[in-house]
Amino acid sequence: MKHTLLILAVAAASTVANAGVIQSTGVGTYTFTGPGATSGTAVDVTSNPGWLDTSGGANAPAFGTLGADWIGVAANGQGVDGLYTYTYTFTSAGSTPFEFTGNWAVDNCGQILIDGVAATGTGTSIGSVGSCVTQTSNYQSLTAFDAVGSLVAGTTHTVQFQIANVGANPTGFLVDTSAPEPSSVLSVLTGLGLVGAGLRRRRVSKQ
């Protein structure tokens, strides 16, 4: 029984490690490249009046405040026409399949890439990056995504968010990733412990 509990505990910890490799914007470090020779480290942007408000104001999502910030190429969010690519680099803790979920919003259109290849899964593109037009809804509402890819344990990988800007307007995006909280892991392990204790009590009562 001890061996079974250990295996289940390791499996639970492994799942959590793989789920949390991508951090929300405003938490993790995202670098970017853009039109011309524009490049650098993305910065937090104060929400524009029309953007989804992550601070709990009038444009906040219905379920409450997000654990993420809008990020972009400049603190005022201003950009030029073109395609910006924001990159998050990490070392995978486990092998295939790789999966991460969350919610995101963009100004104006965007798609998710894993190691330079368009990610498969639901919600991994918002609008059409190749022929993007100004779409207000993209930055006033959240889109849920479930991105999957193939990774090799212990190797370095990239997740990229390609954001198309139209009209030399403000540009940016936010990603609020979903990862199990430490309390959830503790609950799982505690539950396994209780199951083990129950089985031990049953064995003792039968003797």
Side-chain angles (χ1 to χ4, degrees):
M1 181 61 193
K2 289 182 179 178
H3 294 298
T4 302
L5 286 175
L6 178 60
I7 292 171
L8 290 173
V10 170
S14 176
T15 299
V16 172
N18 289 333
V21 293
I22 305 301
Q23 294 183 324
S24 300
T25 48
V27 177
T29 300
Y30 289 77
T31 58
F32 73 87
T33 57
T38 304
S39 63
T41 300
V43 298
D44 285 5
V45 179
T46 301
S47 293
N48 284 288
W51 283 1
L52 181 73
D53 189 350
T54 61
S55 63
N59 290 326
F63 57 80
T65 304
L66 287 171
D69 295 324
W70 282 88
I71 64 172
V73 299
N76 64 1
Q78 194 62 37
V80 299
D81 283 7
L83 188 66
Y84 293 89
T85 300
Y86 297 83
T87 301
Y88 185 93
T89 303
F90 68 97
T91 300
S92 60
S95 300
T96 57
F98 166 61
E99 180 176 14
F100 71 106
T101 62
N103 297 285
W104 64 319
V106 302
D107 186 350
N108 295 100
C109 304
Q111 65 177 346
I112 300 174
L113 308 177
I114 298 178
D115 291 335
V117 179
T120 58
T122 59
T124 55
S125 62
I126 298 178
S128 175
V129 171
S131 57
C132 183
V133 296
T134 301
Q135 294 176 323
T136 304
S137 61
N138 291 345
Y139 51 81
Q140 288 186 337
S141 62
L142 292 171
T143 297
F145 66 83
D146 185 352
V148 295
S150 298
L151 303 181
V152 177
T155 56
T156 300
H157 300 275
T158 61
V159 170
Q160 295 175 311
F161 297 86
Q162 284 192 336
I163 311 299
N165 188 37
V166 179
N169 295 313
T171 181
F173 77 111
L174 70 83
V175 174
D176 187 34
T177 57
S178 300
E181 296 294 330
S183 58
S184 299
V185 183
L186 182 60
S187 297
V188 170
L189 297 182
T190 301
L192 291 174
L194 291 174
V195 169
L199 289 175
R200 284 195 297 273
R201 282 195 297 272
R202 289 181 61 187
R203 288 178 179 174
V204 169
S205 64
K206 288 181 178 180
Q207 293 177 351

